Amino acid sequence: MKIIGIDGSPRKDGNTEKLVKMVLAGAQDAGGQTEFLKLADLTINYCQGCGTCRASGKCVMKDDMDLVVDSIQQSDVIVLGSPIYAWQVSGTTKVFMDRLCRLLTPEYKSRLNGQKRIAFAYTQGNPDGDMFKPYFDYQEKLYSFLGFTLTGRIQATGTRAKEDILSQEETSARADSFGRDLVVSK
Ligand SMILES: Cc1cc2nc3c(=O)[nH]c(=O)nc-3n(C[C@H](O)[C@H](O)[C@H](O)COP(=O)(O)O)c2cc1C
């Protein structure tokens, strides 16, 4: 089983990157094959809204989104990580989301090649884990619409400085078992 972690935090080695990697480590220990992609290390341009991809499945812009979509198509599970920025996902994550338009045909059928599960890994400065629940519920619906099967959500709260998540032993343990479950509970 292949599990790809996609980190939408622009901050290098921050809490979101660490959380996604903790989940991947758990998945790997359970026998999964893992890959990690950091969107901020790639060139992913803004969607231009030309609509070409809807007919062809291909984007007119030649950038690293092609390799991200190829990796998604070769995976069984996607773990998408984002920090909360201004009550929403980061701009880096949103630009990636816009570029997923190619996964839908003009008839709104999914172009995903087979069943794929998607899990979400969020970090936030606010300690209240329920604060953004309505937003998470809402924005994750997009991924169902694109054809993914929603398979869970993990959050780290109260993370501000880059290393904060490392002092949350409970979060590391939860991330590890979350990753294992992605492999075990197909
Ligand atoms: C521009 C910006 C906006 C943020 N907005 C929020 C917010 O609305 N709510 C919140 O709880 N945390 C907010 N945060 C805090 C981050 O979500 C939190 O520190 C997160 O763990 C950062 O992830 P990183 O370590 O991967 O960069 C914001 C941080 C930044 C830089």
Side-chain angles (χ1 to χ4, degrees):
M1 182 186 295
K2 185 165 177 203
I3 300 105
I4 176 180
I6 300 177
D7 171 25
S9 173
R11 186 154 65 160
K12 183 88 194 144
D13 206 26
N15 296 289
T16 316
E17 184 172 332
K18 288 184 175 78
L19 181 62
V20 172
K21 286 180 173 171
M22 285 173 192
V23 172
L24 292 184
Q28 198 168 355
D29 283 350
Q33 181 200 341
T34 62
E35 180 187 355
F36 175 79
L37 290 176
K38 188 166 182 80
L39 296 176
D41 287 344
L42 304 173
T43 302
I44 299 180
N45 297 303
Y46 299 120
C47 174
Q48 302 296 308
C50 69
T52 306
C53 70
R54 294 295 301 287
S56 68
K58 293 190 169 56
C59 183
V60 294
M61 291 187 288
K62 294 296 156 220
D63 62 15
D64 292 331
M65 194 62 192
D66 288 339
L67 79 84
V68 179
V69 171
D70 284 351
S71 284
I72 290 172
Q73 292 288 29
Q74 289 159 21
S75 300
D76 303 292
V77 186
I78 292 91
V79 180
L80 178 59
S82 180
I84 292 298
Y85 276 9
W87 292 47
Q88 298 177 46
V89 292
S90 64
T92 312
T93 307
K94 181 59 167 64
V95 171
F96 158 79
M97 288 167 66
D98 290 352
R99 294 289 302 282
L100 292 176
C101 214
R102 70 179 76 183
L103 293 179
L104 287 178
T105 69
E107 296 77 33
Y108 297 97
K109 294 259 163 38
S110 177
R111 286 195 173 99
L112 286 174
N113 59 2
Q115 206 216 355
K116 296 187 194 299
R117 291 180 287 142
I118 189 163
F120 298 86
Y122 300 104
T123 72
Q124 60 184 68
N126 195 301
D128 179 359
D130 292 331
M131 173 128 189
F132 304 111
K133 186 178 180 301
Y135 168 71
F136 294 150
D137 290 342
Y138 168 76
Q139 79 99 28
E140 289 168 11
K141 283 186 184 151
L142 165 76
Y143 295 89
S144 300
F145 192 65
L146 291 173
F148 292 94
T149 302
L150 304 182
T151 193
R153 178 189 300 164
I154 183 164
Q155 285 168 262
T157 60
T159 50
R160 295 195 174 89
K162 273 171 91 163
E163 311 293 330
D164 278 355
I165 196 169
L166 298 179
S167 58
Q168 300 181 3
E169 279 179 32
E170 182 271 333
T171 303
S172 320
R174 207 159 25 88
D176 188 73
S177 87
F178 187 84
R180 285 170 186 277
D181 285 351
L182 291 177
V183 177
V184 176
S185 59
K186 297 169 192 163

